[in-house]
Amino acid sequence: MEHLIEIKKIRKVFKTGTVATNALRDVDLTINKGEFVSIKGPSGSGKSTLLNIIGLLEDYESGSYKLDGVEASSLNDDQASELRNEKIGFIFQNFNLIAELSLYDNIEVPLIYRGMTSQERKQRVEESLRLVGLWGRKEHRPDQLSGGQRQRVAIARALAGKPSLILADEPTGNLDSEMAASVMDLLYQINEMGNTIVMVTHDDELASKTQRQIQVTDGVVKQCDTETELLKEQEASYA
C-alpha cells in the first residue's frame, strides 16, 4: 500500500532552562493511505507531540517526516501552512467552534481563507453538514447543540476542506458513551470513504476498533498490529 505518512528517526526535545526532556526518541512510523490508526499511551508519553508533528504544528530536532511524499523539514512557515490546509483536517476534544457564529459560518470561515468562491464554499458546507446529519440546523449556534452534535460540526468543518488526512485528538473525550459511539460510527463512515484517520485516545475499547494501534511510551513508538501486541506494550509501560 502507498504511504501517506513516513516518519524516520524523529527526535523531539523540550528545553526548560537547563533541563532537556526527550519527548520523542528516534521514532519510526509509517501510515498508509486509507488506514484508521489509533495512538495510545500514558499522559506525558509523547503521543500529543507526535500528533502535532504529523499535523505540521510542531518542528523537531532531527529525522525525517514526509506527508504524501513532501518532506516537512524543507518547508518554510507559509509552505507548511499551505500544505496543512490542503491535506489535513483537525478534530479536537473541545470542538474549537466559534460561539458567536452559526454552524454554517463555522464551517465556511476556513474555506474563505483558502480563497474558494462563494459557490464552492456553499457546496462544501452543505455536503459536509448533510453528511453529519445537521444541514437542517445550519443557522443554529454551537451553544444550541448537544456535545455530540457539536463534535459532528467539528467533523463537518474538517471534512469541508476535503483533506486526505484527519487528525482526531480525543474526539470523544467530552462525550457520554452513547454520543461517543455515534461519533465513532461517523468516523468509521468517513474512513470507508477513503480518508486516512489518526486518532489519539485514552479509551481502550475505541482504540481496539481501529485497524491498527500505536503505543507511545516515554517518547518511544511501537506499532502494534494486534491487540495482544498492544497489551504487552501497555503492561510494559505501566510496570
Side-chain angles (χ1 to χ4, degrees):
M1 295 183 69
E2 188 176 358
H3 297 325
L4 179 65
I5 293 168
E6 296 178 84
I7 291 175
K8 295 180 180 179
K9 303 300 180 186
I10 285 287
R11 181 170 174 267
K12 175 67 178 180
V13 178
F14 290 111
K15 295 180 180 178
T16 304
T18 59
V19 178
T21 302
N22 290 298
L24 295 175
R25 306 165 185 259
D26 294 330
V27 170
D28 289 321
L29 176 65
T30 58
I31 296 175
N32 296 324
K33 291 183 177 180
E35 274 198 289
F36 190 166
V37 175
S38 55
I39 299 177
K40 292 199 61 191
S43 295
S45 62
K47 60 185 182 299
S48 292
T49 299
L50 176 59
L51 196 73
N52 286 341
I53 288 175
I54 292 173
L56 302 172
L57 297 173
E58 286 190 28
D59 57 9
Y60 43 89
E61 272 63 41
S62 60
S64 170
Y65 168 37
K66 291 182 180 179
L67 174 60
D68 206 10
V70 178
E71 174 59 59
S73 62
S74 68
L75 305 175
N76 60 35
D77 288 345
D78 288 342
Q79 291 170 330
S81 179
E82 183 177 351
L83 183 63
R84 183 169 55 245
N85 290 338
E86 176 189 351
K87 297 287 186 180
I88 304 174
F90 293 91
I91 303 169
F92 301 99
Q93 179 177 351
N94 293 322
F95 319 129
N96 286 9
L97 301 174
I98 301 172
E100 297 79 13
L101 298 183
S102 67
L103 308 190
Y104 188 103
D105 291 341
N106 263 283
I107 297 171
E108 184 184 34
V109 166
L111 304 180
I112 293 174
Y113 287 115
R114 291 181 62 173
M116 293 183 185
T117 65
S118 59
Q119 177 87 19
E120 187 175 9
R121 294 198 305 269
K122 182 181 184 303
Q123 179 180 346
R124 292 205 182 190
V125 173
E126 181 173 353
E127 285 177 354
S128 60
L129 276 176
R130 286 191 184 281
L131 179 63
V132 303
L134 289 172
W135 175 246
R137 300 197 177 193
K138 62 183 180 296
E139 299 303 328
H140 285 60
R141 296 189 310 276
D143 61 3
Q144 296 174 298
L145 304 179
S146 68
Q149 288 171 329
R150 278 179 279 175
Q151 191 59 287
R152 285 176 171 268
V153 177
I155 292 172
R157 179 184 56 195
L159 289 174
K162 296 190 181 299
S164 51
L165 172 64
I166 300 287
L167 298 182
D169 190 0
E170 297 284 359
T172 63
N174 284 335
L175 307 177
D176 62 32
S177 58
E178 184 176 352
M179 288 184 177
S182 174
V183 167
M184 286 301 297
D185 286 343
L186 180 56
L187 291 178
Y188 298 142
Q189 180 183 349
I190 292 166
N191 176 242
E192 289 174 358
M193 292 165 55
N195 293 90
T196 305
I197 301 177
V198 179
M199 176 181 71
V200 165
T201 182
H202 283 96
D203 191 311
D204 292 337
E205 183 177 355
L206 295 183
S208 70
K209 295 178 180 178
T210 61
Q211 295 168 1
R212 185 156 55 100
Q213 300 175 58
I214 295 167
Q215 178 72 25
V216 185
T217 307
D218 294 332
V220 177
V221 168
K222 297 289 185 180
Q223 301 185 65
C224 303
D225 298 321
T226 69
E227 188 160 349
T228 300
E229 290 175 354
L230 179 69
L231 288 171
K232 289 180 180 178
E233 292 298 331
Q234 288 175 329
E235 289 170 358
S237 69
Y238 290 110

